[in-house]
Amino acid sequence: MIVEEIMRTNVAKLTPTNSIADALRLMEAKRIRHIPIINSEEHLVGLVTAAGLRDVTPSIFHANEHLEDLQKPIDSIMKKDVISGHPLDFVEEVAGLFYEHKISCLPITKDGKLVGIITETDLLRTMVELTGAHQPGSQIEIKVPNIAGILSDISAIFRNRNANILSVLVYPDKKDDRFKILVIRVQMMNPVQLIHDLKEAGHHVLWPNLPGISI
């Protein structure tokens, strides 16, 4: 999946000459936490976040003090070293940027111009949809040797039970790099027979570890 499929294109934005008060009003009106800042050519030049605004605005206990600060231009407080993405980036790569740089949003640009934005909420919703976690079903975790063709062997067992696979995640076994863990979501509410078949075929089912079915 690429970014273009999940990014928001109706982006609330401001220019560097807008005031801090403008940013506060826009965030409240749109119920957002990030505002990309663009120049006259719609090129991304900065980013203002709710956290950044909290650092420069008076607290509720001093609401009437230093009101002149709210009239300062956004240019004086915006983050100028902004990480951005492209509409054709893969969502998985974007998730890596969020994790590596500890960011909460990613403006999306094309030819330097702002064309969209992705937030943590957008990314989380997409990951839920990709994994099928929002659909009724069961999750099965299997420890398998890290060799070619193993996924095909596992899939054949699911196919024999007419079990519809919703998603497959693969991650390394942290204790032994000779193995990996398959996390499979299947459209089946009672996977007892499927788990039995997996174990009969010699596979190590980590979850669910059902009573009465030996590993």
Side-chain angles (χ1 to χ4, degrees), residues 141-144 169-173 179-183 206:
E141 297 186 15
I142 312 163
K143 180 177 178 179
V144 298
L169 296 178
V170 183
Y171 62 91
D173 187 332
F179 296 89
K180 55 188 176 184
I181 309 300
L182 303 182
V183 182
L206 299 176

Side-chain angles (χ1 to χ4, degrees), residues 65-78:
E65 298 179 14
H66 307 293
L67 294 180
E68 66 279 4
D69 290 343
L70 298 182
Q71 301 309 313
K72 291 181 179 179
I74 289 176
D75 180 72
S76 63
I77 66 159
M78 71 182 188

